[in-house]
Amino acid sequence: MTKILTGGVGKAEVTETVKKLDLDGIEVTVSNDMDAAMKLRGGQADYFLGTCHTGAGASLGVLVGLLGKSACHTFGRSVPTEDEVNALLAEGKKVFGFAIDQIDVIAPLMARAIAARG
């Protein structure tokens, strides 16, 4: 089971959006930055989807500080393509930030890409 944690101002909405997809092998849970960082470091979770108003800083600030920039990616105001998401996952990125007004597009894209990696 792949575990996705959500955080930031839109964490409940991201969780609900991913759950509605009903993807096999995906478990999604509302979290917070500190708890998520500890669970990711300890192998108790696999990915983090964080949201803020801009998708650039606050969505991942704590996680970048505790896990390192190499594990994290912020989309900012951009909406990635499926190929871009797959490339980031292939690079080993586990923590993603995006803007709350793009949850309906980016959360399903991320969840489906993560599920496809099985």
Side-chain angles (χ1 to χ4, degrees):
M1 180 72 65
T2 301
K3 296 181 181 184
I4 300 172
L5 302 176
T6 66
V9 294
K11 61 187 172 188
E13 188 176 346
V14 172
T15 300
E16 182 179 321
T17 299
V18 173
K19 282 184 178 182
K20 284 181 183 178
L21 298 172
D22 195 30
L23 299 169
D24 286 337
I26 296 291
E27 177 184 319
V28 61
T29 306
V30 171
S31 186
N32 64 60
D33 297 357
M34 286 301 292
D35 188 48
M38 295 302 111
K39 286 184 177 178
L40 286 163
R41 285 173 86 174
Q44 298 170 320
D46 302 293
Y47 296 95
F48 178 82
L49 304 179
T51 52
C52 68
H53 293 284
T54 65
S59 61
L60 301 182
V62 170
L63 287 114
V64 170
L66 295 175
L67 299 177
K69 188 175 180 174
S70 64
C72 305
H73 181 79
T74 58
F75 293 113
R77 300 289 315 149
S78 67
V79 175
T81 65
E82 185 176 340
D83 288 341
E84 290 170 325
V85 169
N86 286 326
L88 291 166
L89 292 170
E91 289 173 20
K93 303 288 186 190
K94 302 225 173 257
V95 177
F96 298 89
F98 50 96
I100 58 170
D101 63 345
Q102 297 171 328
I103 290 171
D104 61 332
V105 176
I106 297 178
L109 177 63
M110 292 300 309
R112 286 186 181 110
I114 289 168
R117 295 181 66 78

